[in-house]
Amino acid sequence: MECEKESAEISRPLADFHPNVWGDQFLTYCPPDEVILRKMEQEAEQLKEIVRKEILVVDKDPKERLVFLDSIHRLGVAYHFENEIEDTYQEFHKKMYDDSSFEDDLYYVSLRFRLLRHNMVSMFHVISHHLHHHDIVLA
């Protein structure tokens, strides 16, 4: 048995898209002037200080603190607050076995475990980078 090949052309429907809603906005972008840029930088610094103070609030519910830290990580801005987050993780690690208030809350337990594990991995990378750099200097 032989297979016959059809030589018919493939017909595909055409899409009739409307013009781009963004227009040429990105092509004509003009960066802010220095005054506006300085104002934006000052506002960013003020917001960072607010977040930094919020991280260090110790009388806050532990679950709220972990959710807040998780949000900071997910937003990708945790690198601004490495020292404060490290201190907070150290507190959580010290109190890990004393805090039984949420031991039946699977979300809290898993969040605490994931964030503490993430912190340990980050510390491992810093230590290994330091040791690798130290080995190179000694070589």
Side-chain angles (χ1 to χ4, degrees), residues 101-117:
S101 57
F102 298 105
E103 66 185 15
D104 294 333
D105 186 343
L106 184 59
Y107 174 73
Y108 173 72
V109 171
S110 63
L111 181 61
R112 183 171 59 179
F113 174 76
R114 186 172 57 79
L115 290 174
L116 288 173
R117 185 188 65 195

Side-chain angles (χ1 to χ4, degrees), residues 49-85:
E49 284 306 311
I50 291 170
V51 172
R52 184 172 281 112
K53 288 177 184 175
E54 187 69 23
I55 291 171
L56 296 174
V57 173
V58 292
D59 59 348
K60 186 186 248 185
D61 178 37
K63 189 174 180 179
E64 284 182 44
R65 289 181 78 191
L66 281 179
V67 169
F68 186 66
L69 292 176
D70 185 44
S71 299
I72 290 170
H73 279 287
R74 288 176 185 259
L75 287 170
V77 296
Y79 67 96
H80 289 290
F81 314 103
E82 288 176 348
N83 295 333
E84 294 81 4
I85 292 173

Side-chain angles (χ1 to χ4, degrees), residues 2-138:
E2 285 186 24
C3 294
E4 292 183 25
K5 293 184 180 178
E6 293 184 25
S7 61
E9 287 187 30
I10 297 174
S11 174
R12 295 186 180 159
L14 295 174
D16 189 21
F17 295 111
H18 56 80
N20 190 342
V21 294
W22 297 105
D24 63 353
Q25 177 178 355
F26 295 109
L27 297 176
T28 60
Y29 172 75
C30 181
D33 64 7
E34 288 184 34
V35 174
I36 294 174
L37 189 60
R38 263 189 265 120
K39 184 176 179 182
M40 290 169 63
E41 288 172 351
Q42 289 173 348
E43 185 176 345
E45 287 301 319
Q46 290 171 348
L47 292 172
K48 280 196 253 182
E49 284 306 311
I50 291 170
V51 172
R52 184 172 281 112
K53 288 177 184 175
E54 187 69 23
I55 291 171
L56 296 174
V57 173
V58 292
D59 59 348
K60 186 186 248 185
D61 178 37
K63 189 174 180 179
E64 284 182 44
R65 289 181 78 191
L66 281 179
V67 169
F68 186 66
L69 292 176
D70 185 44
S71 299
I72 290 170
H73 279 287
R74 288 176 185 259
L75 287 170
V77 296
Y79 67 96
H80 289 290
F81 314 103
E82 288 176 348
N83 295 333
E84 294 81 4
I85 292 173
E86 173 65 29
D87 293 344
T88 304
Y89 285 152
Q90 291 298 328
E91 285 178 41
F92 276 113
H93 186 67
K94 289 176 189 173
K95 297 177 184 179
M96 183 182 302
Y97 300 105
D98 297 336
D99 183 17
S100 61
S101 57
F102 298 105
E103 66 185 15
D104 294 333
D105 186 343
L106 184 59
Y107 174 73
Y108 173 72
V109 171
S110 63
L111 181 61
R112 183 171 59 179
F113 174 76
R114 186 172 57 79
L115 290 174
L116 288 173
R117 185 188 65 195
H118 178 332
N119 183 50
M120 295 305 286
V121 169
S122 297
M123 285 182 1
F124 173 75
H125 286 298
V126 169
I127 291 169
S128 64
H129 181 289
H130 177 73
L131 290 175
H132 178 70
H133 177 70
H134 187 68
D135 288 343
I136 291 172
V137 172
L138 290 176

